[in-house]
Amino acid sequence: MRSEVGRASGPSSLGDGVADLVAAMCPPERARGIVESEGGVDPTLWAALSDRGLLGLVVPGELGGPGRDLHSLAAVQVELGRTLVPVPFMATAVLASEALLKADDVRVSSRLLPLLAAGRTTATLAFAGEVLTSEGDWAPAPVAATQDGDRWALEGRAHFVLDGMNANVVLVVADSQQGPSLYIVEGDGARQIRRSPLHVADRTRRLADLEFRSVAAQPVGVPGQGRHILDAALDLAALALAAEHVGGMLAVLETAVGHACEREQFGRPVGTFQAVQTLCVDTLIDLEVARVALDHAVRCMQDGRDHTTGDADNGPTAVALAAACCAEAYSRCAARAAQVQGGSGFLWTGSAHLHIRRASAGVRLFGTPAKWRARATAGGRSLPISADHVGA
């Protein structure tokens, strides 16, 4: 019942390979232990993903990656979402890598992207403020960049930074005289960042607040292009998150159907009762709709055109629709699966609550479905954010 999104034909597809790798190296019991540990990351699995060239799927071959392949990226994310394994894949292999690519700074990308693709360092992107706007987007992080001769310094605080506690390299969208711009903090500068872990419902994905007090940084790319870079990075992150949500839906459907077939009540499997059948069928319908939306978005982003209409550069619109569709569908499916399992669906030792937590957090990680629907109607363009739009 695994997703066909991003799969090659034949039995030895990438999705199956990742599933087998995770099953062998990070089974549920090990994953649960790592999730509840202080670090929250499985270094052994991370090294294995690196050895198989899976950390550079957005990186072109000339920059140390295997070549940009969004079909493979989606296949990997489906399996990581299905198993909820604790690795910083989204932050390093998607968000930070795409931001570096879109910044188009050869000096930085030629040095750093090969390291990210090889798993030799980790990175993240700090961009969010403390509140969501009324449009469902994160307010800009209140971080400012100042220049003193050749030295740049960052001052302020970024919120909800994905894998921010452990990232060796931090990319920051900060305000400057030229407007929002991208900066990189690494080495001694990264050690100057004051990092605070956030205690959030979804323990399988770590978030942190990062405080910058005259932290040394360097500009990346053209000054004033920070919003353009951020939009492009969030588009790819939303695509990867949609794939992750499809993987989560696969997992909860498999668990719910398995329970319905095995659990007996009144002398027969509970799956023979119409109420339980309806919950499972509704979950399957949500999954199939989400899978179609994801597949369409992957094709549009990979090829730069819409296969249904022939329109060029329709990727951001397709991604926006998939992001909204998959986030809402995952939330519904996770809740239904817990209901099918009855009391056992709420046990800490089970997986149902982990998917409910992941779905609840994911629905606003890069902006709410309302934001993505607004972007879709705007043709994939981001909407302007003003102080009047910021809500408590």
Side-chain angles (χ1 to χ4, degrees):
M1 200 179 290
R2 293 176 185 164
S3 174
E4 296 301 316
V5 172
R7 291 194 151 208
S9 59
S12 57
S13 66
L14 178 59
D16 286 333
V18 175
D20 293 341
L21 175 67
V22 171
M25 301 195 67
C26 193
E29 297 78 13
R30 173 176 167 79
R32 181 67 66 89
I34 294 172
V35 164
E36 295 175 1
S37 69
E38 182 177 352
V41 173
D42 185 348
T44 305
L45 179 59
W46 184 248
L49 294 172
S50 170
D51 291 342
R52 287 157 178 78
L54 300 179
L55 304 185
L57 293 174
V58 307
V59 181
E62 61 269 21
L63 291 174
R68 191 175 178 87
D69 184 354
L70 301 188
H71 294 279
S72 294
L73 176 68
V76 172
Q77 278 293 99
V78 165
E79 291 304 325
L80 296 183
R82 193 173 67 84
T83 52
L84 301 180
V85 290
V87 290
F89 189 90
M90 180 74 78
T92 296
V94 181
L95 264 179
S97 295
E98 185 72 354
L100 287 171
L101 281 172
K102 297 306 180 183
D104 198 23
D105 188 324
V106 176
R107 173 184 57 87
V108 177
S109 60
S110 62
R111 173 178 62 85
L112 193 54
L113 282 173
L115 298 179
L116 297 180
R120 293 169 59 187
T121 191
T122 57
T124 190
L125 176 63
F127 63 89
E130 195 171 6
V131 296
L132 284 165
T133 69
S134 57
E135 287 83 10
D137 201 0
W138 288 107
V143 180
T146 56
Q147 185 178 13
D148 182 9
D150 294 334
R151 183 181 183 275
W152 287 86
L154 299 181
E155 192 81 27
R157 192 179 186 93
H159 300 270
F160 308 112
V161 181
L162 190 58
D163 292 306
M165 289 300 296
N166 300 317
N168 305 120
V169 177
V170 180
L171 299 170
V172 186
V173 178
D175 197 21
S176 69
Q177 290 184 342
Q178 295 81 16
S181 304
L182 186 67
Y183 296 86
I184 185 171
V185 181
E186 55 185 331
D188 291 338
R191 287 185 283 274
Q192 295 173 4
I193 300 173
R194 300 190 177 194
R195 311 185 189 214
S196 303
L198 296 178
H199 301 287
V200 295
D202 180 16
R203 292 285 292 168
T204 64
R205 198 193 308 273
R206 298 298 176 92
L207 300 175
D209 280 356
L210 304 186
E211 186 177 1
F212 304 89
R213 295 186 180 181
S214 297
V215 172
Q218 288 297 321
V220 182
V222 178
Q225 292 298 304
R227 185 68 206 188
H228 167 74
I229 295 169
L230 176 60
D231 283 344
L234 290 182
D235 279 342
L236 188 66
L239 180 69
L241 186 62
E244 186 181 283
H245 288 162
V246 167
M249 282 184 268
L250 279 165
V252 298
L253 180 59
E254 291 169 357
T255 302
V257 171
H259 179 86
C261 292
E262 296 172 3
R263 171 69 171 168
E264 291 191 358
Q265 192 64 266
F266 304 110
R268 56 175 177 159
V270 297
T272 61
F273 297 110
Q274 186 174 6
V276 174
Q277 293 172 354
T278 299
L279 291 171
C280 292
V281 169
D282 286 346
T283 299
L284 176 61
I285 291 172
D286 266 338
L287 168 62
E288 292 303 319
V289 172
R291 188 154 51 184
V292 169
L294 173 62
D295 183 61
H296 176 66
V298 170
R299 290 172 181 268
C300 289
M301 287 289 282
Q302 180 70 46
D303 301 336
R305 65 184 180 88
D306 192 323
H307 285 258
T308 60
T309 65
D311 294 340
D313 196 24
N314 199 37
T317 300
V319 167
L321 292 171
C325 171
C326 294
E328 293 176 327
Y330 185 22
S331 294
R332 291 191 298 267
C333 292
R336 289 194 202 105
Q339 188 175 356
V340 168
Q341 294 173 71
S344 63
F346 295 88
L347 293 177
W348 181 256
T349 54
S351 63
H353 72 95
L354 296 178
H355 285 282
I356 290 176
R357 293 164 183 263
R358 173 60 69 91
S360 177
V363 81
R364 58 182 60 85
L365 184 62
F366 302 126
T368 67
K371 164 205 169 173
W372 292 110
R373 278 192 286 267
R375 284 207 70 187
T377 57
R381 299 184 299 275
S382 63
L383 301 176
I385 298 176
S386 69
D388 294 337
H389 294 150
V390 178

